């Protein structure tokens, strides 16, 4: 083994030790579980509000930030939102641990580094969401720009930069790639490897897997659509083509048989929330 190989092995072993140490911290696993559950609550709100629109029972098209504002308006909204905010913070910390300390053993190869980088990006995104939640809890205004408004605003800023169209196209490809990755994850059932479902009987396990697969696949389809919208924004140099989660759901609703399409997508997002709850309860943590 050459010097470079020895250093790579040494770095991996060091990462494994740090990851195990992080997982043995008394707060790490509970925070991770709370984080998954908090993320599920946010997606459940998005899905339920969209289902209400599909069935003509009010509701609204919204994204994850809009879901926080909806939680704040409900009964016991501030208390519930505070719990979700703490949970999201736990999710951020867990993603940082996954990216930096690699407790899941992704390694330092190309694929492993890409996955760990994705964990880092997820940490940044959910940190922003956690900050928005804490601001609402403290009564410092709404969740700020969200959905199409936010997407189109920073798409316009990107387009104004040198090579702006290329940058927006890269964003679109990344988002679409995340969607394809989710579809692959659902199809191969790779997520099953991290779940310990021994407490469920055969029928319960079978239905749990079906709901989880449906939720992951639905989120994947929505992300692929969002990525395509960004690619259109880049191709046409038009920021108004960009769509957030709410705009993507609205686009589905405006298609022929839109109520059916919106119902399927919204139900899928609720199923994804169930998947997050399942992960929160049954995920196994290596070394914990």
């Amino acid at each position: 083994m050459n010097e470079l190989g020895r250093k790579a092995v040494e770095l991996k072993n060091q990462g494994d030790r740090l990851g195990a140490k992080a997982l043995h911290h008394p707060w790490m696993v509970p925070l991770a579980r709370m984080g998954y559950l908090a993320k599920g609550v946010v997606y459940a709100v998005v899905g339920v509000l969209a289902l209400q629109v599909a069935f003509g029972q009010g509701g609204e098209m919204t994204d994850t930030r809009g879901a926080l504002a909806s939680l704040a308006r409900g009964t016991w909204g501030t208390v519930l939102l505070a719990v979700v905010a703490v949970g999201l913070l736990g999710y951020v910390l867990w993603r940082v641990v996954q990216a930096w300390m690699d407790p899941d053993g992704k390694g330092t190869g190309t694929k492993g580094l890409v996955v760990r980088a994705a964990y880092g990006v997820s940490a940044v995104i959910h940190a922003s969401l956690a900050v928005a939640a804490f601001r609402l809890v403290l009564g410092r205004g709404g969740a700020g720009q969200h959905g199409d408004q936010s997407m189109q605003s920073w798409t316009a800023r990107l387009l104004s930069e040198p090579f702006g169209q290329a940058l927006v196209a890269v964003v679109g490809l990344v988002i679409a790639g995340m969607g394809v990755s989710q579809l692959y994850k659902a199809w191969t059932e790779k997520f099953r490897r991290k779940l310990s479902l021994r407490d469920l009987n055969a029928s319960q396990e079978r239905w749990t897997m079906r709901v989880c697969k449906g939720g992951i696949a639905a989120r994947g389809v929505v992300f692929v659509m969002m990525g395509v919208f960004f690619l259109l924004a880049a191709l046409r140099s038009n920021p108004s083509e960009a769509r957030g989660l709410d705009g993507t759901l609205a686009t589905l609703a405006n298609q022929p048989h839109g109520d059916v399409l919106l119902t399927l997508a919204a139900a899928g997002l609720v199923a994804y929330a169930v998947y997050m709850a399942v992960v929160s309860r049954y995920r196994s943590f290596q070394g914990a």
Side-chain angles (χ1 to χ4, degrees):
M1 182 181 295
N2 59 30
E3 184 66 21
L4 185 60
R6 283 194 294 272
K7 287 184 177 180
V9 171
E10 184 180 342
L11 285 172
K12 184 181 185 303
N13 291 337
Q14 184 181 11
D16 290 344
R17 290 192 297 270
L18 287 171
K21 183 177 180 181
L23 284 176
H24 279 97
H25 192 283
W27 285 102
M28 192 65 257
V29 171
L31 278 174
R33 294 194 187 282
M34 189 176 180
Y36 284 118
L37 188 58
K39 183 179 177 181
V41 169
V42 173
Y43 271 94
V45 172
V46 174
V48 168
L49 290 175
L51 279 173
Q52 290 178 335
V53 173
F55 291 127
Q57 301 297 318
E60 61 178 325
M61 305 293 192
T62 190
D63 67 344
T64 51
R65 283 177 177 256
L68 296 177
S70 296
L71 280 174
R73 293 194 294 266
T75 305
W76 297 96
T78 301
V79 175
L80 178 58
L81 190 59
V83 174
V84 170
V86 173
L88 289 172
L89 182 59
Y91 189 77
V92 171
L93 293 174
W94 170 236
R95 283 307 202 197
V96 170
V97 168
Q98 285 182 298
W100 180 32
M101 300 181 179
D102 193 25
D104 294 327
K106 298 299 181 182
T108 55
T110 301
K111 182 179 178 180
L113 290 176
V114 168
V115 173
R116 291 168 67 180
Y119 291 151
V121 172
S122 177
V124 172
I125 292 171
H126 287 88
S128 175
L129 196 62
V131 169
F134 279 114
R135 285 180 61 84
L136 283 167
V137 170
L138 296 174
R140 295 182 179 177
Q145 283 189 332
H146 56 84
D148 283 0
Q149 185 182 23
S150 175
M151 292 292 187
Q152 292 169 8
S153 177
W154 66 259
T155 299
R157 289 199 294 271
L158 276 180
L159 287 172
S160 67
E161 298 294 329
F163 306 105
Q165 285 181 275
L167 292 173
V168 174
V170 168
V171 171
L173 288 172
V174 169
I175 294 174
M178 291 170 61
V180 171
S181 174
Q182 292 282 290
L183 291 169
Y184 178 75
K185 181 179 178 180
W187 177 260
T188 60
E189 298 186 9
K190 281 191 171 184
F191 64 93
R192 174 67 177 81
R193 301 174 187 174
K194 295 181 180 179
L195 300 177
S196 179
L197 303 176
R198 290 187 298 270
D199 294 342
L200 304 181
N201 61 39
S203 177
Q204 290 172 331
E205 182 175 343
R206 184 167 58 252
W207 278 103
T208 296
M209 289 296 292
R210 287 175 179 172
V211 172
C212 290
K213 286 180 66 174
I216 296 169
R219 185 169 179 259
V221 170
V222 170
F223 270 61
V224 169
M225 291 182 63
M226 289 170 59
V228 170
F229 288 132
F230 273 94
L231 288 172
L232 288 175
L235 182 64
R236 299 171 182 173
S237 193
N238 182 2
S240 65
E241 296 282 358
R243 297 283 187 278
L245 180 55
D246 54 343
T248 301
L249 294 174
T251 299
L252 284 173
N254 291 329
Q255 302 305 307
H257 308 293
D259 288 348
V260 175
L261 294 174
L262 180 60
T263 298
L264 290 173
L269 293 178
V270 174
Y272 183 78
V274 173
Y275 165 61
M276 286 288 98
V278 170
V279 174
S280 173
R281 172 62 179 84
Y282 294 106
R283 192 191 197 281
S284 57
F285 293 87
Q286 298 179 21

